[in-house]
């Protein structure tokens, strides 16, 4: 087990930022920490890294208790902070070299690692730039390069893709998966469920400092009663038709608004077929019709009663 | 030594702002040095000033020739036509400041022992005229003595006597306590003023460095690395000390360059030690300010307030003698005051016995005390900030 956290409690005055949070991360996985703003993701990461003192709990990394002076543990961790932490006085290259140099003394090896990191985030054209001259997205990429250049066993990324355009974001996500394939264990926090779904092999959803669900994305989706979500675009639907629809088996809810019919079905087989039959039978004219599997947002919504996104 | 190198790079980035202070300092001290060296020449050389006078005699006699010769020691003679208007003009335009007229029959009456008078016209309030008056009085009084006591003395022998009497001259020498002391006026000024620039540059550099170094995000990021907090702090301190010493060296080097002739003596060594101690004190003050100031914008404001404030009340710009007692009392709670006092004492050092050095050493010790005190306070604040 790479990381083991037991009953972690962190208070900021009256605010309980982490409420008996427990988690474990296995070797080789990409572990996702998903939660809305202020749910305690960064606080959890900072406690795990011993950057913050906490009120209660136990933290082990690589099987050893984590403390502020556990330098042997720190040597094998790469960290990409939520707040970009680079030196404005150093160029892109110098920044990566500096942070890599905190872990790797050997100059030749370091040069190789730094060059690889630059390739990895695609900053080759900007090595002489100072951070102030970089766009927000490029700056994020520099932040990532600084964190992973030394090829650590465990990589922790705290919302690394904020303000990064979709194309670069995909590149970064692919890169993270590549690092994972090369053997690194990854912890990835985000409030974008798409990202988390895309790369994480195991996910923990947290809210208000509490873990509310953990598992693979399929396991998570299996936890909730909702089956699929079916959307029908139609110009006319009478109240009677709507109430007849609601009486069909396995229908959890049906709402008609703005010429769109949204149906949520419970778990079960042939839900879409039932509805298509109904539409044919009633002679309802429709434009588009599509069905979606539940998302992590639906999971979050069903467990907490609110949307993941604000 | 990653952190050490990082610190140096950050400092290097801030050289332009610091350079402004250094250049201003060097220019001011250059101006000061040339002004002072002129002043010093004027002060140390004593010469009786000769004033211009017109000597108009309506008769000619050995006695009068003797007087004229005597007066040539204190005055330059200007030939003027004996016309009222020309004389008045000459006085008015100051081409002469003294006009002496010897009336006809003066010699005869004088030799008889009668009371006779010379006529003088002068520019008012000219002190050099006093010399002329004195010379004339001395000459005539002596002559009168001879005339009274030696019957029928001839004019020739009278003049002879007077000449030998009056040639007994008092040589006047302006005595400085020691001529060595004057030599250190420049170094004294330079080092006093250096406290201002040194403080400014140190505070600018150190605060800029600390803003970066103690930035919360960056500090956290560094804390994630396997580098121990102790090693990080040690490298930071090392870089700060190097910066302090280099800044000090640059300034001292210029003092020696400007003041080459007077630089190779023990006084300079003590000036250097005193300023090095002060530099450490300045570094410590900067460290404290760096712990208090949290924005780059505040840096230059704080730098100016602190440096100007400290330097004004401590006799850097205004000599200590001119400051009021209450100011001095407040000033004695500042390291700059002890630095300046130390410099002033060093400038007066002519001997280097234990008892001569002691007051200087005590100034340095007090500065060291300040340095430690500031450093300790900074550490406390630093610790508080880290655990917030
Ligand atoms: N230094 C602090 N002092 C007081 N409260 C804090 C502090 N840092 C965080 N908090 C609070 O703790 C809670 C958790 O914050 P945290 O930064 O861990 O959230 P997060 O999940 O990382 O959010 P985001 O997605 O916005 O990064 C929030 O309510 C926040 O206001
Ligand atoms: Mg966060």
């Amino acid at each position: 087990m790479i990381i083991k956290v037991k009953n972690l409690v962190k208070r900021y005055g009256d605010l309980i930022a982490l409420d008996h949070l427990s988690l474990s991360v296995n070797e080789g996985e990409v572990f996702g920490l998903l939660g809305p703003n202020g749910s305690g993701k960064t606080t959890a990461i900072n406690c795990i890294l011993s950057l913050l003192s906490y009120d209660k709990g136990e933290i082990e990394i690589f099987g050893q208790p984590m403390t502020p002076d556990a330098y042997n543990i720190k040597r094998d961790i790469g960290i990409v902070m939520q707040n970009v932490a680079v030196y404005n006085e150093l160029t892109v290259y110098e920044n990566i070299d500096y942070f890599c140099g905190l872990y790797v003394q050997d100059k030749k090896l370091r040069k190789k690692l730094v060059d690889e990191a630059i390739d990895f985030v695609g900053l080759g054209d900007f090595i002489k730039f100072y951070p102030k001259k970089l766009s927000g997205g490029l700056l994020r990429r520099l932040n990532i390069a600084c964190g992973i250049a030394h090829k650590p066993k465990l990589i922790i990324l705290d919302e690394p893709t904020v303000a990064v355009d979709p194309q670069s974001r995909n590149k970064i996500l692919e890169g993270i998966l590549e690092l994972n394939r090369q053997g690194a264990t990854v912890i990835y926090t985000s409030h974008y469920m798409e990202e988390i779904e895309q790369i994480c092999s195991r996910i923990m959803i947290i809210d208000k400092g509490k873990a509310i669900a953990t598992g693979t994305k399929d396991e998570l989706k299996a936890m909730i009663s909702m089956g699929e979500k079916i959307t029908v675009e139609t110009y006319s639907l009478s109240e009677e038709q709507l109430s007849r629809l609601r009486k069909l088996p396995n229908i959890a809810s049906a709402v008609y608004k703005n010429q769109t019919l949204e149906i949520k079905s419970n778990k079960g087989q042939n839900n879409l077929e039932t509805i298509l039959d109904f539409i044919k039978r009633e002679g309802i004219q429709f434009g588009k019709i599509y069905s979606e599997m539940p998302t992590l947002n639906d999971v979050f919504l069903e467990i907490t009663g609110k949307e993941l996104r604000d | 030594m990653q952190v050490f190198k990082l610190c140096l790079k950050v400092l290097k980035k801030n050289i332009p702002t610091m350079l402004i202070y250094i250049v201003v300092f060097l220019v001011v001290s250059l101006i000061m040095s040339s002004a002072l060296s002129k002043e010093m020449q004027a002060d140390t050389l004593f010469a009786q000033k000769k004033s211009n006078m017109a000597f108009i005699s309506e008769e000619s006699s050995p006695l009068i020739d003797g007087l004229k010769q005597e007066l040539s020691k204190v005055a330059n003679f200007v030939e003027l036509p004996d016309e009222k208007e020309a004389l008045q003009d000459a006085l008015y335009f100051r081409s002469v400041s003294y006009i002496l007229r010897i009336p006809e029959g003066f010699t005869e009456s004088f030799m008889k022992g009668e009371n006779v008078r010379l006529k003088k016209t002068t520019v008012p309030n000219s002190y050099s005229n006093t010399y002329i008056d004195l010379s004339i009085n001395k000459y005539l009084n002596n002559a009168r003595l001879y005339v009274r006591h030696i019957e029928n003395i001839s004019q020739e022998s009278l003049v002879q006597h007077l000449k030998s009497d009056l040639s007994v001259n008092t040589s006047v020498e302006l005595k400085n306590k020691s001529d060595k002391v004057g030599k250190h006026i420049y170094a004294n000024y330079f080092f006093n003023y250096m406290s201002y620039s040194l403080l400014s540059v140190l505070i600018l550099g150190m605060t800029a460095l600390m803003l970066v170094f103690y930035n919360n995000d960056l500090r956290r990021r560094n804390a994630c690395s396997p580098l121990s907090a102790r090693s990080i702090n040690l490298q930071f301190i090392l870089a700060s000390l190097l910066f302090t010493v280099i800044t000090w060296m640059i300034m001292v080097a210029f003092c020696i360059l400007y003041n080459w002739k007077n630089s190779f003596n023990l006084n300079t060594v003590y000036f250097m030690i005193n300023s090095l101690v002060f530099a450490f004190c300045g570094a410590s003050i900067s460290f404290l300010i760096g712990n208090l100031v949290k924005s780059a914008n505040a840096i230059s404001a704080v730098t100016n307030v602190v440096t100007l404030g400290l330097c004004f009340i401590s006799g850097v710009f205004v000599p200590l003698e001119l400051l009021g007692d209450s100011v001095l009392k407040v000033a004695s709670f500042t390291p700059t005051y002890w630095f300046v006092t130390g410099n002033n004492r060093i400038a007066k050092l002519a001997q280097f016995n234990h008892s001569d050095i002691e007051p200087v050493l005590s100034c340095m010790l007090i500065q060291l005390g300040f340095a430690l005190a500031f450093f300790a306070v900074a550490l406390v604040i630093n610790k508080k900030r880290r655990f917030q």
Side-chain angles (χ1 to χ4, degrees):
Chain A
M1 202 159 293
I2 297 284
I3 294 186
K4 202 167 157 185
V5 176
K6 243 164 80 184
N7 288 326
L8 188 60
V9 176
K10 169 70 190 175
R11 283 199 194 90
Y12 290 116
D14 286 340
L15 183 97
I16 300 177
L18 293 178
D19 188 357
H20 292 88
L21 187 81
S22 297
L23 62 86
S24 54
V25 177
N26 302 314
E27 183 156 9
E29 66 183 5
V30 179
F31 184 86
L33 207 53
L34 177 67
N37 291 135
S39 54
K41 302 180 297 289
T42 302
T43 306
I45 298 294
N46 284 344
C47 287
I48 289 172
L49 289 167
S50 273
L51 296 174
L52 273 178
S53 59
Y54 42 91
D55 300 280
K56 215 179 113 185
E58 284 161 40
I59 296 169
E60 273 183 16
I61 301 181
F62 306 133
Q64 293 160 22
M66 181 63 184
T67 58
D69 45 12
Y71 301 116
N72 272 332
I73 297 178
K74 289 182 178 178
R75 195 177 302 282
D76 290 322
I77 302 179
I79 171 85
V80 178
M81 299 267 195
Q82 179 172 10
N83 295 337
V84 174
V86 297
Y87 290 97
N88 287 327
E89 288 76 9
L90 303 186
T91 62
V92 164
Y93 187 92
E94 287 170 331
N95 262 300
I96 302 173
D97 183 65
Y98 168 79
F99 286 110
C100 189
L102 294 176
Y103 301 82
V104 180
Q105 312 301 326
D106 182 76
K107 272 201 181 133
K108 244 168 88 185
L109 174 62
R110 188 159 84 220
K111 188 173 181 322
K112 189 174 144 268
L113 289 173
V114 172
D115 287 340
E116 279 173 19
I118 288 170
D119 275 350
F120 180 79
V121 294
L123 279 178
D125 295 338
F126 302 96
I127 52 171
K128 290 239 168 69
F129 279 53
Y130 284 94
K132 280 255 160 72
K133 295 262 164 76
L134 294 180
S135 71
L138 293 176
L139 198 60
R140 285 275 157 192
R141 294 202 233 165
L142 170 61
N143 195 34
I144 293 171
C146 291
I148 53 98
H150 60 288
K151 297 251 160 89
K153 275 201 261 177
L154 169 63
I155 303 173
I156 299 177
L157 303 107
D158 191 0
E159 309 210 23
T161 58
V162 178
V164 178
D165 64 67
Q167 221 176 334
S168 320
R169 176 179 300 188
N170 271 331
K171 235 193 129 220
I172 289 172
L173 293 180
E174 275 163 31
I176 290 169
L177 286 177
E178 175 59 29
L179 287 171
N180 178 244
R181 272 193 290 279
Q182 288 170 15
T185 306
V186 177
I187 297 183
Y188 191 95
T189 86
S190 179
H191 60 269
Y192 295 119
M193 52 181 184
E194 296 89 351
E195 282 188 358
I196 295 271
E197 270 193 57
Q198 193 178 334
I199 64 166
C200 295
S201 45
R202 224 152 54 83
I203 300 158
M204 172 180 271
I205 302 180
I206 68 170
D207 184 39
K208 294 185 183 151
K210 278 197 194 113
I212 56 175
T214 315
T216 64
K217 62 184 171 196
D218 293 331
E219 282 167 359
L220 287 175
K221 287 172 188 175
M223 276 177 204
I224 58 174
S225 56
M226 192 182 113
E228 59 221 292
K229 189 160 74 183
I230 297 154
T231 312
V232 184
E233 279 176 15
T234 170
Y235 297 107
S236 63
L237 190 75
S238 66
E239 275 300 318
E240 293 85 57
Q241 284 173 324
L242 193 58
S243 61
R244 275 204 291 280
L245 174 67
R246 283 187 182 132
K247 283 187 190 113
L248 289 175
N250 248 354
I251 299 294
S253 70
V255 181
Y256 182 58
K257 221 165 67 188
N258 300 334
Q259 295 166 347
T260 316
L261 173 64
E262 250 190 46
I263 304 159
K264 285 183 182 168
S265 65
N266 289 327
K267 285 213 178 75
Q269 312 258 293
N270 309 329
N271 285 335
L272 184 58
E273 227 177 301
T274 317
I275 288 161
L276 285 175
D277 275 350
F278 175 79
I279 289 174
K280 216 186 269 169
R281 205 166 49 216
E282 297 278 331
I284 297 167
Q285 300 276 318
F286 64 88
K288 269 188 222 149
I289 184 161
Y290 51 91
S291 145
E292 292 165 288
M293 292 310 284
T295 61
L296 291 176
N297 187 36
D298 298 313
V299 177
F300 191 81
L301 179 65
E302 189 163 324
I303 299 177
T304 64
K306 61 180 187 193
E307 297 267 343
L308 183 53
R309 264 182 286 223
D310 358 49
Chain B
M1 294 304 268
Q2 288 293 104
V3 177
F4 178 75
K5 274 188 256 168
L6 167 80
C7 291
L8 294 191
K9 273 183 191 157
V10 171
L11 285 169
K12 221 160 83 185
K13 274 248 141 181
N14 282 289
I15 283 180
T17 20
M18 296 190 284
L19 214 58
I20 295 174
Y21 281 84
I22 294 193
V23 167
V24 167
F25 165 64
L26 295 180
V27 169
V28 168
S29 38
L30 196 70
I31 294 169
M32 229 166 53
S33 74
S34 65
L36 268 176
S37 63
K38 270 186 206 133
E39 201 179 297
M40 272 158 70
Q41 271 173 1
D43 268 3
T44 45
L45 291 177
F46 173 81
Q48 208 167 44
K49 247 185 160 175
K50 285 186 171 183
S51 49
N52 294 336
M53 76 177 293
F55 191 94
I56 298 165
S57 183
E58 290 170 359
E59 60 173 21
S60 162
S61 68
L63 180 71
I64 290 167
D65 289 344
L67 175 62
K68 193 169 180 180
Q69 206 172 17
E70 188 56 33
L71 282 177
S72 69
K73 288 180 192 165
V74 293
N76 302 315
F77 297 112
V78 176
E79 289 298 328
L80 288 176
D82 188 6
E83 289 160 16
K84 200 176 171 198
E85 213 145 279
L87 293 176
Q88 268 174 358
D89 279 354
L91 271 183
Y92 184 77
F93 293 111
R94 299 286 195 276
S95 55
V96 298
S97 59
Y98 199 112
I99 300 172
L100 183 69
R101 179 180 291 278
I102 298 166
E104 189 150 14
F106 173 82
T107 315
E108 206 191 324
S109 307
F110 188 86
M111 294 306 289
K112 282 183 191 154
E114 286 170 9
N115 223 351
V116 280
R117 284 179 165 267
L118 298 171
K119 280 186 194 158
K120 73 164 181 176
T121 322
T122 61
V123 176
N125 299 329
S126 168
Y127 74 90
S128 55
N129 290 345
T130 324
Y131 286 123
I132 300 177
D133 284 341
L134 278 174
S135 286
I136 297 171
N137 287 341
K138 209 154 68 176
Y139 183 85
L140 292 181
N141 286 342
N142 281 3
R144 193 164 282 131
L145 275 177
Y146 281 106
V147 171
R148 260 191 220 148
H149 296 284
I150 305 172
E151 291 277 319
N152 293 326
I153 183 169
S154 76
Q155 279 191 43
E156 284 76 15
S157 60
L158 171 61
V159 170
Q160 212 56 56
H161 280 298
L162 288 172
K163 220 180 193 168
S164 62
D165 287 353
L166 293 174
S167 71
V168 179
N169 212 337
T170 347
S171 83
V172 179
E173 204 180 311
L174 259 194
K175 206 155 171 123
N176 253 322
K177 280 168 220 139
S178 136
D179 74 328
K180 269 189 189 161
V181 172
K183 258 174 35 180
H184 302 303
I185 290 179
Y186 174 64
N188 194 179
Y189 270 96
F190 184 98
F191 278 98
N192 281 356
Y193 181 57
M194 177 172 141
S195 62
Y196 170 67
S197 316
L198 195 62
L199 261 183
S200 305
V201 173
L202 286 179
I203 293 178
L204 274 183
M206 290 280 290
T207 46
L209 180 60
M210 288 176 69
L211 270 188
V212 175
F213 199 76
Y214 286 105
N215 169 295
N216 250 330
D217 291 329
L218 288 168
R219 211 170 54 178
R220 283 213 168 129
R221 178 65 188 81
N222 281 324
C224 293
S225 78
L227 217 58
S228 73
R230 233 186 69 162
S231 159
I232 291 177
N233 285 333
L234 221 65
Q235 292 184 44
F236 169 76
I237 290 174
L238 213 64
S240 312
L241 287 183
L242 184 69
F243 167 62
T244 306
V245 171
I246 288 179
T247 311
W248 168 81
M249 267 168 35
I250 291 174
M251 294 192 176
V252 168
F254 271 94
C255 175
I256 292 175
L257 275 182
Y258 283 166
N259 200 23
W260 189 257
K261 275 185 299 189
N262 292 327
S263 278
F264 299 92
N265 48 51
L266 267 176
N267 297 64
T268 307
V269 174
Y270 278 98
F271 276 129
M272 284 169 68
I273 297 174
N274 193 37
S275 58
L276 185 61
V277 171
F278 181 76
F280 287 129
C281 202
S284 167
I285 292 175
S286 313
F287 186 58
L288 175 61
I289 292 175
N291 270 303
L292 294 171
V293 175
K294 282 169 186 166
S295 86
N297 294 336
I299 286 186
S300 66
V302 171
T303 308
N304 285 329
V305 170
V306 171
T307 51
L308 285 176
L310 280 180
C311 292
F312 261 116
I313 64 169
S314 308
V316 173
F317 302 129
V318 185
L320 280 174
E321 298 83 55
L322 299 184
L323 293 171
D325 279 346
S326 49
V327 175
L328 286 184
K329 261 189 204 120
V330 177
S332 63
F333 289 102
T334 66
T336 21
Y337 172 82
W338 294 104
F339 173 64
V340 170
T341 306
N343 282 340
N344 296 349
R345 287 181 187 167
I346 292 168
K348 293 196 184 102
L349 280 182
Q351 283 170 315
F352 295 88
N353 298 323
H354 187 68
S355 56
D356 300 315
I357 296 300
E358 220 173 60
V360 173
L361 289 184
S362 67
C363 286
M364 295 183 190
L365 277 179
I366 293 171
Q367 287 175 67
L368 269 184
F370 272 110
L372 290 178
F374 286 129
F375 190 67
V377 173
L379 279 186
V380 171
I381 294 173
N382 188 8
K383 208 153 218 176
K384 271 207 176 132
R385 221 167 80 162
R386 200 173 332 162
F387 286 116
Q388 74 187 344

